[in-house]
Amino acid sequence: MTWWHDAVFYQIYPRSFLDTDGDGVGDLGGILKKMPYLAWLGVDALWITPIYPSPMRDFSYDISDYCDVDPLFGTLDDFDQIIAKAHEAGIHVILDWVPNHTSSDHPWFQEARSSRTNPKRDWYVWKEPTSDGKLPNNWLRSWSDQPAWTLDDETGQFYLHCFLPEQPDLNWANIDVRDAMAETLRFWLRRGIDGFRMDVVHLIGKDPAMPDDPEDLVAIGHVPLNDRPEAHVYLKGIRKVLEEFDGERTSVGEVYLLDPEVVATYYGQADELHMSFNFASLFTPWRAASWVETITRTESSHNAVGAWPTWTLSNHDNKRIASRLDGDPMKTRSAAILVLTLRGTPFLYAGEELGLEDAIIPPERVVDPGLRDPCRAPLPWTNERLHGWPSDPWLPFAERPNDFSVETQEHDSASMLNFVRSLLSIRKASTALRQGSLNELRDDNGVLHYRRESSDEVVDVYINFAKEPRPITFLPGSTWLLSSSGVKVPASGQLLLVPGDSVIVRVSP
Ligand code: NOJ
């Protein structure tokens, strides 16, 4: 077991975390300022989404320089300070890395598009129009029904972009691209970063024949359809770069393939990704039977290849869990129990500890081409008009900001914030929850049950997904650790668990 097996990661989308220079956009200064809060909360690692120089068409997922910080966010020096301060607090830091595409403003692409004979031409994916002047294939880009190809008028070829036309795909089949990208990893590893979250990393391997996607699946876009052996070869190279440093640097891949069995193959034989996101958990409906299925499939697919699972319920691309649960506070707490007690590494999205919901974005404030603004609303820190932000933030706050603010919740022992903090500390103190096996998974008439077991401890979790109260009988000697409603296990060992409630008990010792 290394640190990242045990860690609870906390995802920061810097634009929305906290601004310190008054331009309305969160920055590295905001992260530095809130380091004591993160240490108090008890998270073990931060995942910081991109802060690279960028024209911001996809908010720094369109990178124009892999080895710098956009002035909007701060400086390299600020980033060094984040690493230093986080490490002082015992918190690890990983940074987003975007290997599949650059910005069309990146000097590499500027060179590549300048002529067919430019030495960097082959760093991107170019194709001739078909003989009747049509697109090279039927691939669609994300977030639209538009082709993944744009014709470069000057040079008469199409280039590939699985996202925006301003995000051309790199050609990983070219060894110079692989070498240059390895250097970008080394740049941050030398600065002391603990690893990377790797953006749509399965996409770097492409079928050189570029065949059409199956007609019945074209509409979902090419990204979730791209599962290729080439990616595994490149990932082995990436893993070696991380291992040049020490055995402690990690990677978590965004393998946006929706089948856990396929995702698990991206761990290789412990020679590809250290971890991969398990998106099944983001899309599992709030039903005990559905969770039994997701957990079973995750456990069996990962165990089969010796891979360590991850769990996540929210991120900067998807509706927040509290909104998916219609703002029901009890269910939102139970969801936190779920994600923090399953076997594997949990990833929390900033604001999840407050039970924050998505914001309502009026049409004139929409800025994201993928329409993901609602889950990127700024964090409310205080109860003043601007909620701790020095000026109006780039997106509106979610509704009832004072109810969800850190200021309100930190002083209320019954708040979601203090609930999540207790849960994190219970998890930290429990070898069963951090490292134990997961057994006795079942759906008992709408109550999800599983047992976490290490050599010195047994912990049981029960979550009532049913719409009615359900009786639970605990093993003799069980001690209460936490419940969503605050209900404790009575001496009789019998409890009527109300709808949405969940309870964690220690069975032994
Ligand atoms: C996945 C990231 O999570 C998303 O925010 C981004 O827009 C795309 N990859 C493209 O980089």
Side-chain angles (χ1 to χ4, degrees):
M1 287 270 174
T2 27
W3 66 269
W4 49 267
H5 289 101
D6 263 15
V8 174
F9 281 75
Y10 181 91
Q11 179 195 351
I12 295 183
Y13 192 72
R15 292 181 78 87
S16 306
F17 193 65
L18 178 64
D19 179 27
T20 51
D21 64 6
D23 62 4
V25 173
D27 48 33
L28 296 182
I31 302 177
L32 264 177
K33 190 165 169 192
K34 292 298 173 186
M35 202 60 80
Y37 167 77
L38 297 167
W40 170 84
L41 179 60
V43 295
D44 306 295
L46 307 179
W47 152 27
I48 301 180
T49 66
I51 39 81
Y52 305 96
S54 159
M56 303 290 168
R57 294 219 158 79
D58 188 13
F59 303 110
S60 193
Y61 280 99
D62 49 330
I63 298 175
S64 51
D65 182 352
Y66 284 90
C67 300
D68 207 346
V69 170
D70 195 285
L72 193 64
F73 295 121
T75 61
L76 272 174
D77 186 51
D78 295 332
F79 198 84
D80 291 342
Q81 280 191 55
I82 288 184
I83 298 182
K85 285 274 178 257
H87 285 177
E88 253 171 49
I91 296 175
H92 290 84
V93 183
I94 67 167
L95 177 63
D96 226 302
W97 180 65
V98 187
N100 178 66
H101 43 267
T102 67
S103 160
S104 50
D105 284 10
H106 197 295
W108 297 343
F109 188 69
Q110 293 293 317
E111 279 189 56
R113 82 180 323 173
S114 66
S115 82
R116 286 189 180 213
T117 53
N118 184 279
K120 290 219 168 52
R121 182 74 172 179
D122 185 52
W123 282 38
Y124 293 84
V125 182
W126 298 93
K127 285 277 176 215
E128 297 293 342
T130 58
S131 50
D132 49 358
K134 298 232 175 77
L135 294 160
N137 66 20
N138 68 357
W139 293 5
L140 297 185
R141 71 174 180 86
S142 291
W143 316 320
S144 80
D145 55 1
Q146 295 300 305
W149 300 94
T150 290
L151 185 67
D152 179 57
D153 289 330
E154 295 290 306
T155 57
Q157 285 182 314
F158 285 98
Y159 66 87
L160 178 68
H161 51 85
C162 288
F163 292 90
L164 298 175
E166 294 84 4
Q167 290 170 295
D169 280 36
L170 283 163
N171 176 18
W172 273 74
N174 182 313
I175 176 76
D176 295 336
V177 168
R178 301 206 291 278
D179 287 349
M181 290 304 285
E183 271 312 304
T184 68
L185 290 172
R186 291 188 189 99
F187 175 85
W188 295 99
L189 289 163
R190 278 189 218 106
R191 299 192 99 87
I193 199 86
D194 298 298
F196 299 91
R197 179 265 189 186
M198 301 187 172
D199 189 67
V200 282
V201 73
H202 66 294
L203 207 52
I204 61 179
K206 303 236 170 47
D207 185 338
M210 307 247 153
D212 277 347
D213 282 331
E215 273 310 325
D216 54 330
L217 296 174
V218 178
I220 66 173
H222 181 66
V223 175
L225 302 174
N226 193 98
D227 174 33
R228 291 290 306 169
E230 292 85 352
H232 297 279
V233 176
Y234 307 149
L235 277 168
K236 288 187 173 67
I238 290 169
R239 174 77 172 238
K240 287 209 178 89
V241 175
L242 263 57
E243 284 171 359
E244 283 168 19
F245 287 77
D246 51 51
E248 299 284 298
R249 314 294 174 111
T250 196
S251 56
V252 51
E254 186 196 26
V255 178
Y256 200 77
L257 299 167
L258 300 180
D259 184 343
E261 284 77 21
V262 180
V263 172
T265 64
Y266 282 75
Y267 288 73
Q269 309 289 318
D271 56 357
E272 296 183 30
L273 291 169
H274 297 82
M275 292 177 279
S276 173
F277 284 118
N278 169 18
F279 288 118
S281 59
L282 266 174
F283 304 120
T284 303
W286 190 252
R287 280 200 300 268
S290 308
W291 275 97
V292 167
E293 189 191 336
T294 293
I295 298 166
T296 306
R297 286 185 71 189
T298 303
E299 283 281 304
S300 58
S301 56
H302 286 65
N303 282 337
V305 294
W308 182 250
T310 65
W311 295 98
T312 185
L313 295 175
S314 297
N315 63 29
H316 64 296
D317 291 332
N318 292 283
K319 196 168 178 173
R320 283 181 176 274
I321 181 66
S323 296
R324 297 212 302 281
L325 296 175
D326 302 320
D328 181 317
M330 184 112 80
K331 286 187 192 163
T332 305
R333 286 175 190 221
S334 292
I337 286 195
L338 183 63
V339 77
L340 288 163
T341 61
L342 285 171
R343 194 182 73 89
T345 298
F347 286 77
L348 301 178
Y349 177 40
E352 209 169 322
E353 77 276 23
L354 303 167
L356 198 64
E357 293 176 40
D358 281 8
I360 297 165
I361 311 290
E364 68 280 7
R365 304 257 339 237
V366 170
V367 288
D368 177 45
L371 301 178
R372 297 157 297 181
D373 302 314
C375 64
R376 298 175 177 180
L379 258 66
W381 292 96
T382 67
N383 295 340
E384 296 120 43
R385 189 179 76 80
L386 293 170
H387 304 292
W389 287 61
S391 63
D392 268 323
W394 67 296
L395 285 174
F397 289 98
E399 306 226 299
R400 295 185 289 128
N402 289 354
D403 290 355
F404 292 101
S405 74
V406 173
E407 181 179 349
T408 299
Q409 296 200 23
E410 69 187 344
H411 300 301
D412 172 5
S413 60
S415 68
M416 175 76 177
L417 178 57
N418 277 305
F419 173 82
V420 171
R421 187 166 177 253
S422 303
L423 184 50
L424 288 170
S425 106
I426 287 169
R427 181 188 159 93
K428 201 160 277 180
S430 164
T431 46
L433 289 179
R434 283 184 288 113
Q435 299 171 1
S437 56
L438 186 140
N439 308 311
E440 299 198 20
L441 175 68
R442 57 176 186 263
D443 163 14
D444 269 345
N445 197 16
V447 175
L448 177 72
H449 170 257
Y450 47 87
R451 170 166 290 179
R452 302 293 314 280
E453 212 161 345
S454 59
S455 56
D456 61 345
E457 196 190 14
V458 177
V459 173
D460 272 342
V461 179
Y462 301 85
I463 303 179
N464 185 3
F465 285 82
K467 294 199 171 62
E468 304 81 32
R470 290 277 187 258
I472 314 279
T473 306
F474 299 98
L475 287 180
S478 298
T479 54
W480 177 88
L481 292 176
L482 193 70
S483 67
S484 299
S485 63
V487 68
K488 303 207 166 134
V489 175
S492 65
Q494 303 263 338
L495 180 70
L496 204 58
L497 203 60
V498 300
D501 199 1
S502 47
V503 52
I504 314 177
V505 293
R506 181 182 286 122
V507 179
S508 71

